[in-house]
Every structure is written in structure tokens, then in C-alpha cells.
Amino acid sequence: MKTLSLKLNESVFEETEDILKEKGIPRNRYINEALEFYNRYHKRKKLAKAFAKASAMVRDSSMEVNAEFDQLIDEGAI
């Protein structure tokens, strides 16, 4: 476990305290869960960006293969 000190905007702190009272959970647990959620969010965004890049790279070669199949079909080879 790591210990850290952080500064929060007053409004964020007050809103968080209200939620903690409502949920009845410790502040530390709430902050850990929030950071885990935010980290997963950013990992998913990074993965989506990588998938989009890979898809763009494959799109051109897929179109070439489709064109080759179309030509073979037109020539009666298939």
C-alpha cells in the first residue's frame, strides 16, 4: 500500500464527503475504487485507439483482396 497526500478542490471534497456519508464507506476505499474505474476507462480508450489504427491498416489490404476476388470471379476462375 502506498500513502499519498493530495489537494482537492473544496467542491469536489464536499461532494465526495456527502457521497461517503450516503454510501457509508471509507474515503480511502472510495478514492481507490474511483481511481481503478478511471484507469480502466483510460485503458479502454487507449485500446479503442489501437483497434481503430489496426482497422485502418487492414482496410486497404482487405480492399485489395476483395478486388482480386472480384477479378477472379469476373474471369470465371471461381
Side-chain angles (χ1 to χ4, degrees):
M1 226 8 117
K2 295 285 184 182
T3 302
L4 65 118
S5 172
L6 67 130
K7 294 181 181 182
L8 296 175
N9 293 330
E10 188 69 29
S11 61
V12 173
F13 178 78
E14 289 173 3
E15 184 178 14
T16 301
E17 290 299 302
D18 290 342
I19 293 169
L20 294 174
K21 287 177 190 172
E22 186 179 300
K23 293 181 80 73
I25 61 173
R27 183 183 303 123
N28 187 56
R29 178 176 159 202
Y30 182 78
I31 292 171
N32 272 297
E33 289 175 0
L35 287 172
E36 286 175 15
F37 178 84
Y38 201 60
N39 288 344
R40 282 193 311 270
Y41 168 77
H42 279 285
K43 285 179 186 177
R44 287 181 181 154
K45 279 183 67 172
K46 184 178 179 181
L47 188 58
K49 188 176 180 178
F51 281 146
K53 183 178 178 182
S55 177
M57 291 171 60
V58 171
R59 179 180 50 228
D60 293 337
S61 64
S62 292
M63 294 304 289
E64 290 174 14
V65 170
N66 286 339
E68 290 175 13
F69 276 124
D70 286 344
Q71 185 177 2
L72 290 172
I73 291 170
D74 291 344
E75 293 172 356
I78 296 180

